[in-house]
Amino acid sequence: MQPLSPISIGPVRIEVPVILAPMTGVTDRPFRKIVKRYGAGLTVTEMIASQAMIRETRQSLQKAAWDPVEDPVSMQLAGCSPHEMAEAARLNEDRGAAIIDINMGCPVKKVVNGDAGSALMRQIPLATQIIAATVKAVKVPVTLKMRMGWDHNSLNAPELARIAEDLGVQMITVHGRTRNQLYKGEADWRFVAKVKQAVNVPVIVNGDINSIDDAEAALEQSGADGLMIGRGAYGKPWLLGQVMHWLKTGERLPDPSMDEQYCVITEQYDAMLEHYGEVIGTNCARKHIGWYTRGLHGSAEFRNAFNKEGDPQRAKKMLREFYAPWLSRAAA
């Protein structure tokens, strides 16, 4: 596998373009900070509704919060109003975003029913207006994330990509599924090659990249300039760093030791409590704990009990006791 070349998104240079995907309810500041420490060419915030960003709701401000270790950071916006998208982009630029990413790929019914996300792939005139307004509103570069199309009868990602490039978008990410597929079936990395052939800006392949082998196959089949990893990083914030290291050296790094994994989990848990407060932080952490512990002996029973515990201190005690058999210091 040939090493990936650096890419430039306006003035932002990414030496190894392996990017953490924006995932609502997952890629918050505590998680992104850990991913960035292990290695990520770029991190992207959770999707922020443009209208909520303008109102500066508590939730939108939480989603827009980022750590200096992430710099440069990309902030992703979703919406269906060119005016609101432009205003939200300006606000995020003022908050320090190095890149504004437009979401035209989210398949979730709540978003699509609001004519945002991947719904815009069947409303090209409106999508065009949103892209033009956003690019015009800010000095920082604007990027675009999309799917192959609404369904297999309208695979219009290459068309939308050409429009976006003409309007000034400086990087395009394609998830190799249609909106109607949601997350079913397999990502079609070969289709992404059609988008790559349609434009001159960097194209990033996304979808079903869960390992180094997947990364290699996705790059070979798509000819893309970089990778975006989303669900593959569930419970594995070190995966992007492993992929980056492999791309640079050809060496496959092992997963961290159980001691290190336990330290990462407890660090993230404490950071989530600080970020959200104890009640919301405890609830939000449960899915992450589920991903980290998946496959370990007794994990199903542990998760069932852990998810019922509302007190964060007792929950952390349960976590410590569960991991104790695998920790080297426990045997010392």
Side-chain angles (χ1 to χ4, degrees):
M1 187 72 201
Q2 292 295 318
L4 284 179
S5 299
I7 64 172
S8 292
I9 309 170
V12 179
R13 180 179 169 90
I14 303 177
E15 294 297 330
V16 184
V18 178
I19 302 169
L20 178 65
M23 295 178 286
T24 300
V26 178
T27 54
D28 54 17
R29 181 172 65 182
F31 184 71
R32 295 196 314 269
K33 184 177 179 180
I34 292 171
V35 170
K36 187 68 173 183
R37 189 171 69 221
Y38 276 106
L42 183 72
T43 56
V44 187
T45 66
E46 299 173 82
M47 180 184 69
I48 306 167
S50 56
Q51 192 176 79
M53 188 72 240
I54 293 169
R55 296 199 312 269
E56 293 193 336
T57 64
R58 180 179 62 83
Q59 188 178 60
S60 71
L61 293 175
Q62 275 184 335
K63 289 181 176 181
W66 55 283
D67 192 277
V69 73
E70 296 182 75
D71 192 34
V73 70
S74 172
M75 293 195 186
Q76 189 185 72
L77 296 172
C80 59
S81 161
H83 171 75
E84 289 178 352
M85 285 289 286
E87 181 61 23
R90 279 191 289 266
L91 288 170
N92 275 325
E93 181 181 36
D94 290 344
R95 293 179 61 83
I99 297 166
I100 299 296
D101 186 64
I102 301 174
N103 183 304
M104 292 190 182
C106 180
V108 176
K109 185 179 293 185
K110 179 181 177 181
V111 175
V112 169
N113 287 350
D115 290 330
S118 54
L120 290 165
M121 297 202 72
R122 58 177 181 177
Q123 300 181 57
I124 296 300
L126 178 57
T128 300
Q129 293 172 30
I130 286 172
I131 294 168
T134 306
V135 170
K136 185 178 179 180
V138 294
K139 295 182 176 66
V140 298
V142 173
T143 59
L144 177 65
K145 189 171 190 291
M146 66 173 85
R147 290 201 162 210
M148 298 192 302
W150 179 259
D151 56 29
H152 277 88
N153 293 319
S154 56
L155 300 177
N156 58 352
E159 175 193 353
L160 182 56
R162 283 191 292 268
I163 291 169
E165 181 180 35
D166 288 344
L167 292 171
V169 163
Q170 300 192 42
M171 184 184 80
I172 294 165
T173 300
V174 185
H175 183 120
R177 286 184 174 86
T178 66
R179 183 274 161 183
N180 281 357
Q181 283 182 277
L182 299 176
Y183 292 99
K184 298 174 183 176
E186 296 181 351
D188 185 350
W189 300 322
R190 294 188 188 280
F191 179 86
V192 180
K194 296 181 180 180
V195 179
K196 172 62 181 169
Q197 293 159 10
V199 295
N200 295 309
V201 296
V203 172
I204 308 298
V205 60
N206 174 228
D208 291 352
I209 301 171
N210 302 314
S211 66
I212 288 174
D213 288 340
D214 291 338
E216 181 175 22
L219 288 171
E220 287 181 350
Q221 292 177 29
S222 67
D225 301 289
L227 300 157
M228 180 173 278
I229 296 176
R231 291 175 297 155
Y234 284 3
K236 297 186 293 182
W238 44 82
L239 176 61
L240 279 80
Q242 290 173 321
V243 172
M244 289 177 71
H245 184 81
W246 169 74
L247 286 166
K248 289 188 288 186
T249 69
E251 178 188 12
R252 293 176 180 244
L253 293 176
D255 287 345
S257 67
M258 290 299 286
D259 289 85
E260 185 175 338
Q261 291 187 35
Y262 174 71
C263 288
V264 166
I265 294 168
T266 54
E267 176 191 343
Q268 185 178 345
Y269 194 100
D270 287 338
M272 293 184 78
L273 295 178
E274 180 181 353
H275 186 63
Y276 294 108
E278 288 197 349
V279 174
I280 296 176
T282 298
N283 291 336
C284 289
R286 289 171 180 159
K287 58 178 171 284
H288 289 276
I289 300 302
W291 294 324
Y292 279 117
T293 57
R294 183 182 297 155
L296 296 177
H297 179 70
S299 61
E301 295 82 355
F302 164 74
R303 288 193 297 272
N304 186 49
F306 184 87
N307 289 344
K308 296 175 182 176
E309 180 54 69
D311 180 84
Q313 298 309 315
R314 288 197 295 267
K316 287 199 289 184
K317 184 173 184 290
M318 292 172 67
L319 190 62
R320 183 168 62 249
E321 290 173 349
F322 175 72
Y323 270 90
W326 291 286
L327 302 182
S328 59
R329 58 178 175 273

